[in-house]
Amino acid sequence: LPCRGARVSIQRMRRLLSRIRAHTLSPGGRPALRLELETDDIPAAGQPLLAFLPGSMAPLRTPIFPSQIHSDGFTSTELPTTDWTVGTYLDLLGPIGSGFSPPPQSRRWVLLALGRTMDRLLPLVDEAIDRDLAIAVYSDGPVPVLPPQVEIGASLEDLIEWSDYIALDLHDPMRVSLPGFLGNDIQPAARIELLTDLALPCGLGVCGACAIASRHGWK
């Protein structure tokens, strides 16, 4: 195990029930879920919930990320399975992690999706528009239809130099090193936050297989 011989800090997660209000489309145009939650339980951009349908035979929980956040719940990035029917309740753990946290003083946001769709970044589009901020997106794949306030970037280097906040959704963390990705001559003044995937089979840290080494020990 990655944590063998080390003391592991296991995050205590909330357990929630959420009713499936509807099958819908995400802002990115993909089949998705519309879930109901209390205000304090709604995930932020980049925060997943681990979902299980009570009574099903699924061996593991399914991560669900928000693509749009509402006052009474959220729209997921996808519809994991059609077995999750309207009106049923999901058993949820989370939200997990801190999510994206743009600095309050930032005014120029860039959203980058590499090796995956932009869906997990889309709640930041709504937030930037609500705050009347400048926002641009860049992806190495298809870009969904976005509000007219959003610029579709053509030059990654120009976007990085222009930005003061960068949210990066990266499919494979081994695919790119940030110094090489940013370029040797680019010194961004931006705060950069990275979302990538780690295996979280249970969400409880029972075996420690999902543990990572941090500056403050194993987490």
Side-chain angles (χ1 to χ4, degrees), residues 50-117:
L50 294 182
F52 178 78
L53 180 65
S56 76
M57 300 301 292
L60 301 174
R61 290 178 177 265
T62 301
I64 300 179
F65 285 85
S67 65
Q68 190 172 30
I69 297 170
H70 313 285
S71 60
D72 59 352
F74 69 96
T75 298
S76 66
T77 57
E78 60 186 345
L79 175 63
T81 171
T82 55
D83 293 341
W84 293 1
T85 56
V86 176
T88 58
Y89 283 81
L90 294 176
D91 181 327
L92 304 174
L93 290 177
I96 298 171
S98 56
F100 290 110
S101 303
Q105 70 276 14
S106 59
R107 304 296 299 173
R108 300 181 304 278
W109 293 7
V110 170
L111 312 183
L112 306 179
L114 300 178
R116 63 182 317 123
T117 67

Side-chain angles (χ1 to χ4, degrees), residues 100-106 109 124 127 131 165 191 193:
F100 290 110
S101 303
Q105 70 276 14
S106 59
W109 293 7
L124 292 172
E127 183 177 345
R131 292 173 54 181
Y165 173 72
R191 173 175 176 175
E193 293 187 314

Side-chain angles (χ1 to χ4, degrees), residues 123-161:
L124 292 172
V125 171
D126 293 336
E127 183 177 345
I129 291 174
D130 288 344
R131 292 173 54 181
D132 195 25
L133 306 178
I135 183 168
V137 302
Y138 180 94
S139 176
D140 57 4
V143 176
V145 176
L146 295 170
Q149 298 95 321
V150 182
E151 178 184 347
I152 310 300
S155 168
L156 182 56
E157 181 175 325
D158 289 346
L159 288 179
I160 292 171
E161 291 181 330

